[in-house]
Amino acid sequence: MNKTDKYFENKRKCMFQEWYPTFKQVTFSSTIIPLPKIFIDYLNSDHFVSNEQEFPQYRNDDPEFLDDESWSTPRRSTIVDSKYYQSYGSDSDSDSDDSDDSNDDDKKKNSRIIKESEFQHLLDEIKSIITKYGGYVLPKLNWSAPKDATFMNAFCTLKCSTPTDVFLLLKSSDFINHDLAQFETNEQDDDLTITPYVLVLRKWQNLTESMEFRCFVKDKKLLGISQRDTSTYYSFLKDKKESIQESIESFFNQNIKDKFSQDSYTFDAYVTKENKVWLIDFNPIHPSTDSLLFDWEEFFPELIVDDEESTPISEQDKLKLIQDLEFRLIENREGIRPNLAMESRLPMDLKDSSQSSAINDLLEKFKDKLQ
């Protein structure tokens, strides 16, 4: 098995439906729904059609309002090797994308307006599961939850009370689009053909973001624990650091170490105020997984390659390989990191303006418009 296949196999083993049956006793209640091709086409389409009576309205009936955005990982200046990104099917980034035939295919693909009534059985199943879980669920696909799209939700979190809440989050998320790029459905398949994709509805838990942690495992050895919400400084975590580490280590050794199908991976854990640990999710050793307060090179230097046009990394600049467990927190207010899930909310012109001169040009254009 070559290196690319190895990393994709690790990624496949981290799909929710692969690990949940084994670890359902130590994670939150969830229901897995195999998805038909028509729903994948709906997510890939440019249209959003919904029953107006169910379209999300502003609601303020949640006494425990919680912002559930916690994806933030600044990247080091090294370049990620694109060969570690793999998907089934044809290469959508090939030169043929610029051809008229490709454009015609894209237009044809998005010309069909799919209504919710065309997958009524799925709609009814989602309603039933929401009722089963007390009225609120958290949605995700095989790997990702739509955390970058919470601004589209009336609750401003991943909390969903109707199927329309679920659909709106899924269709608005770049994270979900990344999941959809991993497999390619057969154009010739019938609408009801079951795809490799699943919709996961998890019972809503009002988790405190400060107590979520990402754990890094290499060769069945726990080497890193990182605060998951790196956009906030939580002063109280310093005093709880030792007890949190002990709880996570114990949980890993008892419940995960010899039970997960891979030797190297990451997992997200939640620690309650009583120091009870719950499993949130598994994540692959893959550049698309946020390394948070660590750098992938500290665990897996083979993930990082130097760009031919960039300055080679000297031996002095290379990060030391982590061999014993390290627990990293945001130690002060100056150490907080920007939340990358916020990128989807920025205008494209601003998002692409990485240079100060580009930002100045944008401001000048704005001034001209005002005048």
Side-chain angles (χ1 to χ4, degrees):
M1 181 182 293
N2 62 41
K3 191 177 292 186
T4 304
D5 291 338
K6 174 185 174 183
Y7 284 114
F8 190 76
E9 176 63 14
N10 180 264
K11 190 170 188 178
R12 192 182 68 80
K13 291 294 185 180
C14 289
M15 291 194 300
F16 191 90
Q17 65 269 39
E18 289 279 334
W19 63 260
Y20 181 70
T22 303
F23 297 96
K24 64 189 307 181
Q25 300 302 319
V26 293
T27 191
F28 306 117
S29 298
S30 306
T31 300
I32 301 170
I33 308 174
L35 292 175
K37 179 176 177 292
I38 189 172
F39 188 71
I40 301 305
D41 290 343
Y42 169 74
L43 293 181
N44 280 321
S45 72
D46 290 336
H47 305 285
F48 181 79
V49 180
S50 176
N51 183 340
E52 292 182 2
Q53 292 181 345
E54 289 191 354
F55 198 83
Q57 301 294 318
Y58 176 76
R59 293 186 291 264
N60 194 23
D61 58 354
D62 182 14
E64 297 180 340
F65 174 85
L66 174 67
D67 185 2
D68 191 35
E69 298 169 273
S70 57
W71 287 66
S72 50
T73 304
R75 297 294 185 191
R76 197 163 177 261
S77 57
T78 47
I79 307 299
V80 174
D81 189 347
S82 60
K83 70 174 176 287
Y84 293 126
Y85 289 88
Q86 177 178 339
S87 62
Y88 290 155
S90 59
D91 183 2
S92 60
D93 294 324
S94 63
D95 293 338
S96 62
D97 281 355
D98 294 329
S99 68
D100 291 339
D101 289 343
S102 177
N103 290 334
D104 289 341
D105 290 341
D106 289 341
K107 290 177 182 178
K108 184 177 180 181
K109 179 181 178 181
N110 293 316
S111 62
R112 178 186 178 189
I113 299 179
I114 303 174
K115 298 181 180 180
E116 291 180 9
S117 57
E118 296 185 60
F119 42 86
Q120 187 63 45
H121 177 75
L122 176 62
L123 192 69
D124 293 340
E125 191 171 4
I126 293 173
K127 288 179 180 178
S128 175
I129 294 168
I130 290 174
T131 301
K132 170 186 172 183
Y133 287 143
Y136 301 107
V137 296
L138 180 155
K140 63 174 293 177
L141 290 194
N142 300 41
W143 293 278
S144 305
K147 292 191 173 184
D148 57 327
T150 54
F151 69 102
M152 296 292 290
N153 191 349
F155 291 118
C156 291
T157 69
L158 292 174
K159 184 177 183 179
C160 296
S161 61
T162 70
T164 299
D165 290 345
V166 173
F167 300 157
L168 187 59
L169 282 175
L170 295 179
K171 283 187 67 70
S172 304
S173 171
D174 289 337
F175 292 170
I176 295 302
N177 282 335
H178 182 270
D179 276 19
L180 294 176
Q182 301 310 304
F183 300 105
E184 185 167 301
T185 57
N186 191 335
E187 292 290 337
Q188 311 305 320
D189 284 343
D190 182 84
D191 280 350
L192 298 182
T193 300
I194 296 299
T195 67
Y197 296 102
V198 298
L199 172 63
V200 179
L201 297 179
R202 313 201 72 180
K203 183 177 181 180
W204 173 255
Q205 307 289 334
N206 197 20
L207 304 183
T208 303
E209 285 188 316
S210 59
M211 299 305 289
E212 294 183 28
F213 302 92
R214 177 154 293 174
C215 309
F216 299 80
V217 179
K218 181 177 182 179
D219 297 328
K220 292 192 174 183
K221 184 178 181 180
L222 181 62
L223 291 181
I225 303 174
S226 171
Q227 176 179 330
R228 196 174 173 202
D229 177 15
T230 59
S231 63
T232 307
Y233 166 58
Y234 300 103
S235 58
F236 70 90
L237 284 179
K238 291 181 183 178
D239 295 332
K240 295 177 67 67
K241 185 174 182 179
E242 185 176 342
S243 64
I244 291 172
Q245 178 173 323
E246 289 177 356
S247 298
I248 291 177
E249 281 190 274
S250 176
F251 176 80
F252 168 71
N253 289 326
Q254 292 179 22
N255 299 290
I256 296 181
K257 183 176 181 179
D258 296 318
K259 296 181 180 179
F260 193 62
S261 59
Q262 300 290 288
D263 293 340
S264 300
Y265 50 91
T266 79
F267 68 93
D268 295 332
Y270 182 76
V271 182
T272 69
K273 59 183 179 181
E274 296 84 14
N275 284 332
K276 178 176 175 59
V277 181
W278 290 92
L279 173 65
I280 298 177
D281 206 355
F282 284 99
N283 311 286
I285 301 302
H286 194 271
S288 61
T289 300
D290 288 336
S291 56
L292 300 174
L293 295 177
F294 291 94
D295 190 288
W296 278 123
E297 191 177 355
E298 296 178 270
F299 301 110
F300 303 94
E302 64 271 22
L303 277 178
I304 309 298
V305 296
D306 299 326
D307 185 16
E308 293 179 358
E309 298 180 359
S310 65
T311 304
I313 302 173
S314 67
E315 291 298 321
Q316 267 186 330
D317 292 334
K318 287 185 177 180
L319 296 178
K320 182 180 178 181
L321 194 66
I322 294 176
Q323 297 181 333
D324 297 304
L325 178 59
E326 287 192 27
F327 187 0
R328 295 183 183 177
L329 300 172
I330 299 293
E331 300 289 345
N332 50 57
R333 298 187 188 280
E334 289 72 30
I336 63 173
R337 311 287 184 88
N339 192 326
L340 297 186
M342 298 282 286
E343 284 188 359
S344 296
R345 310 180 187 190
L346 296 175
M348 290 301 296
D349 288 343
L350 184 58
K351 181 179 175 182
D352 293 338
S353 299
S354 57
Q355 303 295 327
S356 59
S357 59
I359 295 176
N360 290 334
D361 290 342
L362 185 62
L363 291 175
E364 287 299 324
K365 290 179 182 179
F366 182 67
K367 289 179 182 178
D368 292 341
K369 290 286 186 182
L370 290 178
Q371 294 174 355

